[in-house]
Amino acid sequence: MTLAILDDGPFRGGTYMVRSGQSLTFGASWLNPRPVVYRPTGRVVETSEGEAVVLRCETTPGDITNSDR
């Protein structure tokens, strides 16, 4: 397991334990009509909790278009 930090999006700054190369998906809710997906970038940064891989948001609630409604 590796520490990961979320670089952007609605959950920016959150840290999670992940397997190497793993993406994180947060499910849809009334606040987030679409799942929010974070994928590894290959970057590693130092945090107060130790080294962490950086995950970048690929899908945010703002990505919704009129065709999705």
Side-chain angles (χ1 to χ4, degrees):
M1 298 295 280
T2 304
L3 182 66
I5 187 165
L6 307 182
D7 189 41
D8 60 354
F11 303 105
R12 180 178 184 215
T15 56
Y16 296 86
M17 294 303 293
V18 298
R19 291 182 184 86
S20 181
Q22 178 182 352
S23 296
L24 288 179
T25 302
F26 296 89
S29 71
W30 68 276
L31 288 174
N32 296 315
R34 293 182 112 165
V36 178
V37 179
Y38 285 86
R39 298 203 190 283
T41 64
R43 285 188 357 203
V44 176
V45 296
E46 189 65 37
T47 72
S48 60
E49 300 173 58
E51 281 192 346
V53 296
V54 176
L55 302 183
R56 195 91 203 177
C57 185
E58 289 191 354
T59 308
T60 65
D63 290 341
I64 296 173
T65 64
N66 286 334
S67 63
D68 295 331
R69 293 175 196 232

